[in-house]
């Protein structure tokens, strides 16, 4: 079975965060002690994905390259590509079509943070499905801001509507999507919406219509934060600070995720921590390395 590749979409102009995003990409803004992009990157790594394309604006691309490099630090490989204009999330698959070359793919939005107890298990299940697509739904207070999914009495997904004026449910589709090898073929069928964009909801709807869309629920014990507004950006930072300070658990560290997945060794983990030893983040990485009881089980 072909290995799943990952796309990290970090484009857009971040108008809801102006003036902060006039000089810097939204996905490079700090969420507590890490750049925003570290959080969805960690999710892709926890899904076992090692081949990742980062799509951003032509203007911001050099900044992402400077921050992330070629991926060796995390035991993965990065490819960079520009999205000349923000023409919709589903456009990512057209931009990456030659690179995907028929591989299944996971797409993570660069401003999304997901934290859950059983996240690795859910991600593993999504990558193992060979036919169709998998999305994750989360209950929100303001569903009109998102793609909203409705269910029948058995829990089967009935419909997905993008930013409905009168939502029929409060289950929003998060910014993490898994697709089979046909995703580019399906993306070519998506027509621009009224706002001129290739909507990810329309792509998901194609899978829904053929009966191959799996909607997994993120229930109590899970947190999903879309850090695209000043309020949600602050909430995300406060959440990460609370978990890390009170529980001593790292949130959204691609270095720790890479170690947990066996992408880097305990020595590489400690080296990364020591390079940032003046920071609390660096000290936490060193603590994880020192607390590893079976470093031999983690392969380089």
């Amino acid at each position: 079975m072909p290995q799943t590749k990952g796309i990290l979409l970090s484009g857009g102009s971040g108008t809801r965060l102006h003036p902060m995003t006039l000089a810097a990409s939204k996905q490079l803004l700090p969420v507590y002690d890490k750049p925003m992009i570290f959080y969805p990157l960690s999710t892709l790594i926890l899904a076992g994905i090692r081949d990742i394309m980062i799509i951003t604006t032509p203007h911001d691309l050099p900044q992402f390259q400077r921050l992330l490099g070629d991926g060796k630090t995390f035991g993965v490989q990065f490819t960079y590509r520009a999205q000349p204009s923000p023409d919709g999330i589903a456009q990512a698959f057209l931009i990456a079509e030659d690179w995907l070359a028929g591989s299944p793919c996971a797409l993570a939005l660069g401003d999304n943070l997901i934290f859950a107890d059983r996240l690795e298990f859910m991600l593993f299940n999504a990558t193992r499905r060979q036919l169709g697509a998998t999305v994750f739904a989360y209950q929100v207070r303001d569903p009109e801001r998102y793609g909203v999914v409705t269910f029948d009495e058995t829990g089967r997904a009935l419909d997905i509507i993008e930013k409905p004026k009168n939502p029929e449910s409060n289950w929003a589709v998060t910014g993490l999507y898994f697709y089979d090898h046909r995703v580019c073929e399906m993306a070519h069928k998506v027509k621009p919406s009224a706002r001129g964009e290739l909507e990810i909801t329309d792509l998901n709807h194609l899978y829904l219509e053929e009966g191959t869309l799996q909607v997994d629920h993120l229930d109590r014990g899970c947190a999903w934060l879309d850090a695209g507004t000043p309020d949600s950006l602050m909430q995300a930072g406060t959440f990460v600070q609370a978990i890390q300070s009170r529980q001593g658990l790292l949130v959204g560290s691609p270095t720790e995720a890479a170690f947990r997945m066996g992408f880097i060794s305990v020595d590489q983990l400690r080296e990364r921590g020591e390079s940032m030893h003046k920071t609390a983040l660096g000290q936490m990485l060193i603590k994880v390395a020192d607390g590893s009881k079976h470093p031999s089980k983690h392969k380089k």
Side-chain angles (χ1 to χ4, degrees):
M1 186 171 67
Q3 290 297 309
T4 300
K5 293 185 176 182
I7 295 176
L8 198 44
L9 184 58
S10 300
S13 53
T15 52
R16 292 183 296 169
L17 285 167
H18 281 182
M20 292 183 287
T21 49
L22 289 174
S25 167
K26 170 176 64 175
Q27 292 84 5
L28 296 176
L29 295 179
V31 175
Y32 185 50
D33 59 349
K34 308 172 205 73
M36 188 186 298
I37 196 174
F38 272 28
Y39 296 89
L41 172 58
S42 298
T43 301
L44 291 180
I45 290 175
L46 288 175
I49 296 172
R50 305 189 75 159
D51 202 353
I52 299 170
M53 174 175 283
I54 297 165
I55 299 177
T56 186
T57 69
H59 174 76
D60 294 318
L61 196 148
Q63 298 178 64
F64 283 95
Q65 290 176 314
R66 185 161 59 249
L67 172 68
L68 299 171
D70 58 10
K72 289 181 181 177
T73 300
F74 310 117
V76 301
Q77 179 177 342
F78 292 140
T79 301
Y80 295 88
R81 198 157 288 182
Q83 182 182 30
S85 59
D87 295 328
I89 296 171
Q91 186 189 34
F93 299 107
L94 306 184
I95 293 172
E97 184 170 12
D98 63 323
W99 174 78
L100 286 172
S103 295
C105 179
L107 170 67
L109 301 187
D111 62 356
N112 274 231
L113 181 160
I114 296 177
F115 180 79
D117 242 0
R118 300 168 62 250
L119 182 58
E120 289 170 62
F121 176 75
M122 290 186 287
L123 297 175
F124 175 77
N125 283 342
T127 60
R128 296 298 293 175
R129 293 188 183 116
Q130 297 187 36
L131 180 67
T134 300
V135 299
F136 298 90
Y138 186 81
Q139 285 186 296
V140 296
R141 181 175 52 83
D142 49 354
E144 63 278 357
R145 287 182 54 208
Y146 307 100
V148 174
V149 59
T150 54
F151 303 92
D152 64 16
E153 61 277 2
T154 67
R156 183 175 63 90
L158 289 175
D159 201 3
I160 302 177
I161 301 175
E162 182 68 18
K163 297 182 174 65
K165 291 182 178 179
N166 300 296
E168 294 186 16
S169 92
N170 63 348
W171 286 97
V173 177
T174 70
L176 178 64
Y177 319 86
F178 288 80
Y179 298 101
D180 62 16
H181 65 283
R182 301 173 297 150
V183 63
C184 294
E185 173 189 337
M186 296 289 235
H188 276 289
K189 297 178 182 178
V190 176
K191 305 299 181 185
S193 65
R195 59 178 184 166
E197 295 190 6
L198 300 178
E199 306 285 358
I200 195 71
T201 295
D202 291 341
L203 175 62
N204 293 334
H205 217 281
L206 292 175
Y207 282 96
L208 178 65
E209 288 171 351
E210 72 169 23
T212 61
L213 179 71
Q214 173 73 31
V215 181
D216 289 345
H217 292 71
L218 296 177
D219 294 313
R220 290 179 180 269
C222 301
W224 171 56
L225 296 163
D226 166 15
T229 67
D231 282 349
S232 60
L233 181 62
M234 178 170 285
Q235 289 166 5
T238 301
F239 173 82
V240 174
Q241 191 272 342
I243 295 294
Q244 293 191 171
S245 297
R246 292 180 64 86
Q247 295 186 264
L249 301 174
L250 273 167
V251 181
S253 167
T255 304
E256 188 214 18
F259 174 65
R260 284 168 58 181
M261 297 304 296
F263 292 180
I264 62 173
S265 68
V266 66
D267 291 335
Q268 289 172 304
L269 173 67
R270 183 178 289 106
E271 180 182 353
R272 182 66 171 164
E274 289 174 349
S275 72
M276 301 184 292
H277 70 277
K278 293 184 179 180
T279 69
L281 175 58
Q283 292 163 17
M284 290 183 76
L285 291 174
I286 293 172
K287 186 175 180 180
V288 172
D290 290 342
S292 175
K293 296 180 180 179
H294 303 288
S296 62
K297 290 186 179 181
H298 296 267
K299 60 186 178 181
K300 191 170 181 179

